Amino acid sequence: MSNYFLPHEIVPTILGPKHLDSWRGLLTVHARVVAQIEARLAAGNLPPLTWYDALFALYEAKGRSLRVSDLADRVLLSRSGMTRLVDRLEESKLIRRESCEEDKRGAHVILTDAGIDTLRQMWPAYQRGIQELFARHLSDQEATLLDSLWRKMLVANSA
């Protein structure tokens, strides 16, 4: 791949070519696969992937409820981006908001039955995208190795 950010002759780097290539590969594959999955969802008149991510995070949460700040952390959105997303999900009746008993400034977001139905509608297209654009290009052994590497990076970079 060898797509360095700046030529190492101009700006010295502490990174070797393999690490830079791996980094660029990760970013490029992620961007391309996500863009293609987004396009497939849009072609099926389905909501964007961030909606799925937020709804699924709520689905997995205890009581299918999270504080807005916790949902933002799980979906990897800024607080302001999550606020806008929660507004859209609430307008679409996929979630509802309730005030936090313990913190009057905060709010809990709760998944509705309509939100669960939306997850069910989105999953087939999302699953096909994952399979066709990602999973089919990896053996089980390669997928296991990637999973191990992602977990290693997450542990090393947890706050």
Side-chain angles (χ1 to χ4, degrees):
M1 199 174 270
S2 294
N3 293 322
Y4 301 100
F5 294 105
L6 290 172
H8 64 278
E9 296 86 17
I10 297 171
V11 178
T13 179
I14 59 171
L15 300 169
K18 293 294 181 197
H19 289 98
L20 285 171
D21 288 348
S22 295
W23 176 250
R24 290 290 291 171
L26 170 67
L27 296 178
T28 301
V29 168
H30 178 267
R32 287 184 186 173
V33 169
V34 167
Q36 289 181 57
I37 290 172
E38 287 279 13
R40 289 172 182 217
L41 291 171
N45 293 315
L46 295 166
L49 195 52
T50 53
W51 286 38
Y52 183 92
D53 292 342
L55 295 173
F56 189 72
L58 288 167
Y59 184 83
E60 286 192 314
K62 181 180 177 187
R64 299 207 168 123
S65 172
L66 288 169
R67 290 177 55 113
V68 175
S69 59
D70 294 332
L71 182 58
D73 290 342
R74 291 187 190 197
V75 179
L76 305 178
L77 280 178
S78 66
R79 300 292 188 258
S80 61
M82 181 51 67
T83 299
R84 289 188 297 275
L85 177 58
V86 165
D87 289 344
R88 290 190 297 275
L89 293 171
E90 188 175 35
E91 287 169 15
S92 298
K93 310 274 190 246
L94 304 179
I95 57 134
R96 72 178 192 278
R97 266 187 259 221
E98 291 182 0
S99 297
C100 287
E101 299 272 331
E102 62 275 4
D103 179 2
K104 300 299 180 195
R105 295 172 298 154
H108 279 103
V109 179
I110 301 150
L111 185 65
T112 64
D113 289 343
I116 294 170
D117 289 343
T118 298
L119 277 172
R120 288 185 179 130
Q121 291 167 5
M122 293 179 75
W123 177 242
Y126 188 17
Q127 177 179 227
R128 276 191 307 277
I130 294 168
Q131 172 58 33
E132 294 168 8
L133 302 167
F134 181 77
R136 77 180 178 111
H137 302 287
L138 299 172
S139 68
D140 286 347
Q141 184 178 6
E142 290 168 327
T144 300
L145 176 60
L146 279 179
D147 182 59
S148 173
L149 293 171
W150 303 149
R151 289 175 191 276
K152 178 181 177 179
M153 292 296 162
L154 288 171
V155 168
N157 293 289
S158 60

